[in-house]
Amino acid sequence: MGEFVKLLNQKKIKWAETLEDRKTVFDQSNKLIYELLIKGLRSGAYKNIVILTGAGISVSAGIPDFRSPECGIYSKLKEYNLPQPEDVFTLDYFKQHPEAFYRFSKEFNKAGGYEATPTHYFIRLLQEKGLLRINMTQNIDNLEEKAGINADLFCQAHGSYNAAHCCKCDKIMDLDTFKQHVNEGTIYRCSDESCLGPVKPTVVFFGEQLNPDFDIKLPLVHSADLLLVIGTSLAVQPFNLLPLLVDEQTHSVLINLESTKKASGGSIHDFESGDAKLFIQGKCDDVIRQIVADCGWEAEFDKILPEVHKRSGTARQEAEGFGAGQAQHQ
């Protein structure tokens, strides 16, 4: 990790020299608290908001996260009898035992009608306001696209189910045929008879390079004047190194059920210490709805929300989760 951080620091210097400086001058002499965050959002002081997202923002859509002890994806993978749950997403294991990933894919995609969540639409709202610099996501569910976020404003660092290829020779294969094999429980293999490698989607496995779009959009992270980390404990490298690209004095906010300090997979980040850091504990959608309300953006938000996500004011107040007093800062 040390060499990667060194490389990132070198890139930061290069980007600072070559990128147009779009950062907003914002009074950062005060300790970041929830009220200051809201003030910055409402006033438009934050003009280049970078958002890092993980599985937590899709949980309310019916997609489990990875690391929850009882209902997370890794917990459910115990019934697969794998050497370890992560093997289902490991390239070397897939080459020898593609059945496990095909079974996972069938279960993951069986409710193909997953809808984008209020948190996704909040990111869309920031886009509409011209405040979104980039949304870097670890998710492979394509809900950013369903929410109407422009392709140039998000990056699926860990790939997606939007294309398929042979895992051995990289030959592009038919996505619909891959999906058909997944549904039938059979393995789709490379059409090159000299290869016959198992076919996989462009989901990034352990042992593979990240989506090429990741490197292209990395410089945008460095230009942040506000960093929002939503629904992730930042436990997976190299994605979890992205906050290191942001200047130390840049306001950085974690919105998640658990602190990165207590993440089961471990984390190198602490959002509970430092004047520029803020941890808001709660369910992503509940926190986001509160932020929208406190910013006075509810009317604009309702215009882009689908009917399924619209709730009365009373229902919102009764919803479980975040209250303004739950923002944690030290």
Side-chain angles (χ1 to χ4, degrees):
M1 186 182 72
E3 288 301 315
F4 196 92
V5 173
K6 181 180 178 181
L7 176 61
L8 290 180
N9 286 332
Q10 292 172 348
K11 286 186 175 182
K12 284 172 68 174
I13 296 174
K14 181 178 179 181
W15 294 336
E17 295 173 348
T18 59
L19 280 178
E20 177 185 1
D21 186 8
R22 296 182 56 199
K23 292 188 180 181
T24 301
V25 177
F26 186 78
D27 182 8
Q28 294 173 321
S29 59
N30 296 323
K31 183 174 179 59
L32 179 59
I33 59 175
Y34 180 76
E35 290 75 16
L36 188 59
L37 170 67
I38 296 302
K39 178 182 177 182
L41 289 169
R42 290 187 65 174
S43 67
Y46 301 121
K47 299 185 184 302
N48 298 288
I49 301 176
V50 171
I51 304 179
L52 311 182
T53 52
I57 75 167
S58 296
V59 168
S60 66
I63 303 173
D65 63 15
F66 281 86
R67 300 178 186 277
S68 292
E70 297 181 0
C71 59
I73 289 175
Y74 285 153
S75 175
K76 293 182 177 181
L77 287 175
K78 291 179 181 179
E79 63 188 59
Y80 284 41
N81 294 319
L82 301 170
Q84 55 186 11
E86 292 84 353
D87 285 342
V88 75
F89 303 112
T90 301
L91 185 60
D92 288 342
Y93 189 85
F94 176 80
K95 289 178 179 179
Q96 300 297 322
H97 308 283
E99 299 84 4
F101 181 76
Y102 272 63
R103 177 181 171 185
F104 164 80
S105 294
K106 183 176 182 178
E107 296 177 358
F108 183 81
N109 292 302
K110 65 183 178 183
Y114 293 131
E115 297 295 336
T117 69
T119 300
H120 289 98
Y121 283 99
F122 172 72
I123 299 172
R124 158 89 178 274
L125 178 63
L126 295 178
Q127 169 187 282
E128 301 290 320
K129 288 179 166 292
L131 304 177
L132 178 64
R133 187 63 163 148
I134 192 69
N135 171 205
M136 306 287 281
T137 183
Q138 300 170 88
N139 297 341
I140 60 175
D141 50 35
N142 295 320
L143 295 187
E144 295 80 17
E145 183 178 345
K146 282 193 174 184
I149 302 171
N150 295 337
D152 61 336
L153 289 179
F154 74 88
C155 170
Q156 294 169 304
H158 294 167
S160 70
Y161 279 88
N162 281 339
H165 66 279
C166 171
C167 75
K168 289 188 176 181
C169 70
D170 278 338
K171 182 176 181 178
I172 301 300
M173 301 293 289
D174 184 67
L175 179 62
D176 289 336
T177 303
F178 166 76
K179 291 180 179 179
Q180 181 179 346
H181 277 269
V182 166
N183 290 332
E184 294 174 353
T186 57
I187 306 303
Y188 182 28
R189 295 195 173 273
C190 183
S191 58
D192 185 340
E193 294 187 1
S194 65
C195 176
L196 296 178
V199 174
K200 65 180 288 292
T202 51
V203 172
V204 177
F205 283 7
F206 294 113
E208 287 187 300
Q209 295 293 320
L210 293 185
N211 183 344
D213 195 36
F214 182 78
D215 280 337
I216 295 172
K217 292 179 176 175
L218 268 181
L220 301 180
V221 177
H222 181 53
S223 66
D225 52 22
L226 173 64
L227 177 69
L228 298 179
V229 180
I230 312 177
T232 174
S233 54
L234 293 174
V236 177
Q237 292 188 24
F239 190 92
N240 68 349
L241 299 179
L242 289 179
L244 300 178
L245 294 177
V246 176
D247 292 338
E248 291 183 4
Q249 70 270 24
T250 297
H251 287 172
S252 301
V253 180
L254 171 68
I255 300 172
N256 200 38
L257 275 176
E258 66 174 358
S259 166
T260 51
K261 290 169 53 175
K262 300 178 181 178
S264 58
S267 177
I268 59 176
H269 302 288
D270 179 5
F271 287 83
E272 298 181 69
S273 303
D275 288 347
K277 301 292 181 63
L278 175 66
F279 170 41
I280 306 176
Q281 185 172 26
K283 297 177 181 178
C284 298
D285 291 345
D286 293 335
V287 175
I288 291 304
R289 286 187 184 277
Q290 187 66 52
I291 289 174
V292 167
D294 291 340
C295 286
W297 294 347
E298 288 178 296
E300 297 168 84
F301 197 43
D302 279 349
K303 286 182 180 179
I304 63 173
L305 273 181
E307 288 297 325
V308 67
H309 291 315
K310 293 181 180 179
R311 303 186 299 181
S312 68
T314 300
R316 288 174 185 167
Q317 292 172 5
E318 293 176 350
E320 288 186 17
F322 175 70
Q326 287 180 273
Q328 296 187 12
H329 46 85
Q330 296 181 10

